[in-house]
Amino acid sequence: MNNFELGAWLMVHMDKVVKAGLLLLIGLPLVRILAGFVRRVIKRHTTAQSGMVTYKVIWYGGLFIITIMVMRELGFKLTTLLGAAGVAGVAIGFAAQTSLSNVISGLFLLGERPFEVGDLLQVGATTGTVTSIDMLSCKLRTHDNKYVRIPNEHLVKNEFTNVTRYPIRRYDISLGVAYKEDVSEVIKLLKSVADKNPYSLDEPEPVILFTGFGESSLNLLVGIWFSKDDFIMLRNSINHEIKEAFDAAGIEIPFPHRTLFVGSNTAPFPVRIVEPGGSE
Amino acid sequence: MTPEFNDVFQPVYRPLTHLGLGPLDCWIKRSAHDWSIAIRRDPEQQVRWVRDEAAPERSEELVWQRFPVDKRTARLRIKPCFPARPVVIRPDAPYRILPGDKVQFFMSVPLGLRIMTDEAQPVVLLQEPSMILSNTWFGDHAEGELTFSLRTSARRSVEELDDRRYRITCPVRMKNVSGELFSFERFCLRVSCLNMYRGAARFWANEIGVTYKGPDHISRVAYTDKAPRMGREAELIVRAEQSADHFSLRSFYSGIFNL
């Protein structure tokens, strides 16, 4: 169709073109406003995730309907188009296997709901807050404000951890004390530190275990339960308080050290203590 | 006497007002354009209620919150308040109640301060408990709720109650109508269902009745809607945020009673 033919076609079908244009101009913003309104209402009454899914269903559904209406208005025969779409679909399917796999995986994720917008997700070495669950991928924002895109297929195929799925979590601290210390007294002290910390839950009770004999220390595990929103406050306060309590009670946290023997029949290494001034 | 909370607070003519409620200190300052509010806690102070113009020591350490003065905030209202979440109260030692017995306990929760605008739909500028309570979890790990935790000596009579004017005393009557021992280990006090009354010697909350029917039956927790018998002359100063409905929760373990 050259310029003259296009102009003639436009002159003949001006009313249809105007109608199609109006449909696009009015329909698209209307669908967007409707989707946004429904999202706000649903988010207020349920979750951000449900709001986002509803928004996308309305937006993509509306987009599809408006496209069909515009094409009909412009005189396209839908039956022919759908037939062509079937043939094209096979070709596109082969060409876009990865994308389709991501779309299908996205549907599984939306159905299974292993996480929602706002959850803290750990995928491999990446940990971040889910900002959106889209057709092809999920987006995370890491703690240091990086944007991470994870294809949906990857999430369906691989293991990931939803850190904030449950309302309470346990913060585990591994620490060691010197061999000279009385372990029962240390456990009692750790329990009292946990009791006094306002972010540490009284129930479930803190778990304090004597886990074994290390190379340089008696090893302990302190597991403190907390409400998931209090993680930063708990971590900042409890480590500080344990150190303060150990210092106050004179409990030593040893650094790695090694005792050397040069054989039972040999004399010990000669050691001379030198005064700071240089005299022995 | 228990602390008096003036309904409307307008310290326009005073440069500074200091409120001391148990371990909590609160300073309110009014300048030409702003209200400034600061708080601090002194764990050494336990039994006290002061209202004066004392300036804070180490004032450079205080963090002031400022609010612009406009029509809505020309006057502020100060009210006492309950803790912001339910409180799980555990007796120092589990208490066992014999079948058919009725027992009266007195439990108490710390009073808090709520500073808000003086209007029909007030905006809360600040809400602070007089003492920081520890958190605890009530229910199972996936579905429970975050509450505050308190230990109680579960006193049995008014005479045994000590002078703690910054606490709200809540009488709880427990009745064991089952045929077996009732082991009372913890109790979830839903403070949003409680009224607050100002008595001569202490603040009161409405009485709660607990009926234990056995480990396999639903137990009944009833929040009454009136001042307790021992504080009939007390004046109602704070209404419950939720209606004093009946709460019923099932005991979680046979032989151990958690409400």
Side-chain angles (χ1 to χ4, degrees):
Chain A
M1 196 184 277
N2 58 32
N3 285 349
F4 177 74
E5 284 172 332
L6 181 66
W9 183 88
L10 275 175
M11 290 296 283
V12 174
H13 298 98
M14 185 52 81
D15 57 330
K16 288 182 177 176
V17 173
V18 170
K19 273 187 189 172
L22 283 175
L23 264 173
L24 284 173
L25 276 175
I26 298 169
L28 289 180
L30 213 63
V31 171
R32 192 119 204 171
I33 290 167
L34 177 73
F37 173 73
V38 173
R39 175 165 66 177
R40 275 197 300 278
V41 171
I42 289 184
K43 196 174 162 186
R44 204 177 306 143
H45 292 99
T46 57
T47 59
Q49 164 84 359
S50 311
M52 195 196 67
V53 171
T54 316
Y55 175 85
K56 285 187 174 164
V57 167
I58 295 175
W59 172 239
Y60 288 121
L63 211 59
F64 179 74
I65 291 167
I66 288 174
T67 310
I68 297 288
M69 286 168 75
V70 167
M71 291 176 93
R72 276 186 63 178
E73 206 55 57
L74 293 175
F76 287 96
K77 285 185 180 163
L78 289 178
T79 45
T80 317
L81 271 177
L82 288 173
V87 177
V90 176
I92 292 169
F94 277 114
Q97 275 186 45
T98 312
S99 302
L100 283 175
S101 168
N102 279 321
V103 171
I104 304 287
S105 302
L107 292 176
F108 281 126
L109 288 177
L110 287 175
E112 191 186 332
R113 297 176 78 171
F115 55 85
E116 295 190 340
V117 172
D119 278 342
L120 188 68
L121 220 61
Q122 193 177 344
V123 189
T126 305
T127 303
T129 307
V130 180
T131 53
S132 78
I133 303 167
D134 296 327
M135 275 176 71
L136 295 175
S137 62
C138 292
K139 276 83 179 183
L140 304 188
R141 194 181 62 234
T142 62
H143 296 310
D144 52 351
N145 213 25
K146 286 177 188 157
Y147 173 88
V148 181
R149 177 187 179 277
I150 301 171
N152 289 337
E153 190 188 4
H154 180 84
L155 291 170
V156 169
K157 278 184 178 169
N158 297 287
E159 183 183 301
F160 61 83
T161 308
N162 183 347
V163 181
T164 49
R165 176 61 178 259
Y166 297 119
I168 53 173
R169 287 168 58 197
R170 204 179 73 188
Y171 175 50
D172 289 345
I173 307 165
S174 297
L175 52 87
V177 294
Y179 268 86
K180 69 179 172 63
E181 306 298 346
D182 178 344
V183 176
S184 310
E185 285 302 314
V186 173
I187 289 177
K188 210 184 282 177
L189 184 70
L190 287 169
K191 186 146 180 28
S192 114
V193 170
D195 282 347
K196 283 179 192 152
N197 187 296
Y199 306 110
S200 156
L201 297 179
D202 291 6
E203 282 183 45
E205 279 188 24
V207 179
I208 302 173
L209 300 174
F210 177 20
T211 50
F213 302 92
E215 280 190 32
S216 316
S217 61
L218 300 170
N219 295 335
L220 293 125
L221 176 83
V222 186
I224 293 173
W225 289 91
F226 63 97
S227 169
K228 67 179 179 185
D229 299 329
D230 293 339
F231 177 62
I232 301 289
M233 275 95 77
L234 176 89
R235 200 169 70 167
N236 277 343
S237 56
I238 199 80
N239 288 322
H240 191 75
E241 286 161 10
I242 289 174
K243 176 73 170 65
E244 271 185 354
F246 276 17
D247 288 350
I251 293 171
E252 184 190 342
I253 301 176
F255 51 86
H257 58 267
R258 201 170 287 272
T259 309
L260 294 177
F261 288 93
V262 289
S264 57
N265 292 328
T266 56
F269 286 125
V271 174
R272 283 185 303 176
I273 299 170
V274 180
E275 291 294 320
S279 62
E280 290 179 22
Chain B
M1 281 295 287
T2 45
E4 269 189 57
F5 286 90
N6 284 356
D7 229 12
V8 178
F9 188 67
Q10 195 179 12
V12 183
Y13 312 108
R14 296 174 183 173
L16 184 80
T17 297
H18 166 240
L19 305 169
L21 183 65
L24 177 73
D25 282 305
C26 176
W27 287 273
I28 304 172
K29 218 163 48 173
R30 165 77 194 257
S31 66
H33 305 292
D34 295 328
W35 287 101
S36 300
I37 303 173
I39 58 151
R40 181 192 281 160
R41 281 190 183 76
D42 178 2
E44 300 298 315
Q45 297 283 355
Q46 290 293 316
V47 184
R48 64 166 182 159
W49 163 251
V50 288
R51 182 173 182 156
D52 54 28
E53 293 171 20
E57 291 171 14
R58 308 186 314 279
S59 60
E60 68 284 355
E61 291 173 12
L62 281 182
V63 179
W64 291 92
Q65 295 184 51
R66 289 167 65 188
F67 304 91
V69 174
D70 60 11
K71 266 186 192 171
R72 299 172 66 198
T73 53
R75 299 194 306 177
L76 298 183
R77 191 179 279 268
I78 296 187
K79 285 272 195 185
C81 65
F82 283 101
R85 290 199 290 266
V87 182
V88 169
I89 298 181
R90 288 185 293 172
D92 290 337
Y95 210 94
R96 305 205 191 283
I97 301 171
L98 300 179
D101 269 7
K102 286 180 197 169
V103 182
Q104 172 89 62
F105 293 111
F106 292 92
M107 299 171 183
S108 69
V109 291
L111 196 67
L113 278 183
R114 188 181 279 168
I115 302 175
M116 51 199 177
T117 56
D118 181 31
E119 53 189 341
Q121 299 287 321
V123 177
V124 176
L125 305 185
L126 186 103
Q127 177 168 336
E128 276 297 322
S130 55
M131 59 186 285
I132 298 285
L133 297 175
S134 182
N135 285 343
T136 191
W137 194 251
F138 186 66
D140 70 58
H141 290 198
E143 300 290 337
E145 64 180 315
L146 184 66
T147 62
F148 288 125
S149 169
L150 262 182
R151 287 261 176 202
T152 179
S153 42
R155 296 177 201 281
R156 302 289 318 285
S157 68
V158 180
E159 292 72 38
E160 288 176 27
L161 297 175
D162 49 14
D163 178 23
R164 289 192 290 182
R165 280 169 289 177
Y166 67 97
R167 294 182 79 97
I168 311 151
T169 306
C170 179
V172 179
R173 276 198 302 164
M174 293 197 173
K175 192 159 69 171
N176 181 4
V177 297
S178 75
E180 49 197 279
L181 271 179
F182 161 26
S183 178
F184 161 48
E185 295 198 344
R186 60 178 73 76
F187 178 76
C188 183
L189 191 63
R190 302 203 172 269
V191 290
S192 59
C193 297
L194 295 175
N195 293 328
M196 196 191 300
Y197 303 89
R198 181 173 174 266
R202 66 189 71 250
F203 288 101
W204 291 100
N206 30 328
E207 200 164 14
I208 298 172
V210 177
T211 310
Y212 177 67
K213 298 174 181 174
D216 300 322
H217 294 84
I218 304 284
S219 298
R220 209 177 81 128
V221 183
Y223 288 72
T224 62
D225 196 20
K226 52 191 176 194
R229 284 169 291 121
M230 48 296 288
R232 278 280 178 255
E233 83 298 340
E235 165 203 6
L236 175 67
I237 52 170
V238 176
R239 281 201 181 280
E241 288 166 9
Q242 288 182 344
S243 67
D245 237 336
H246 289 137
F247 276 84
S248 294
L249 290 174
R250 201 177 166 75
S251 57
F252 294 127
Y253 316 103
S254 76
I256 299 174
F257 187 50
N258 301 284
L259 283 167

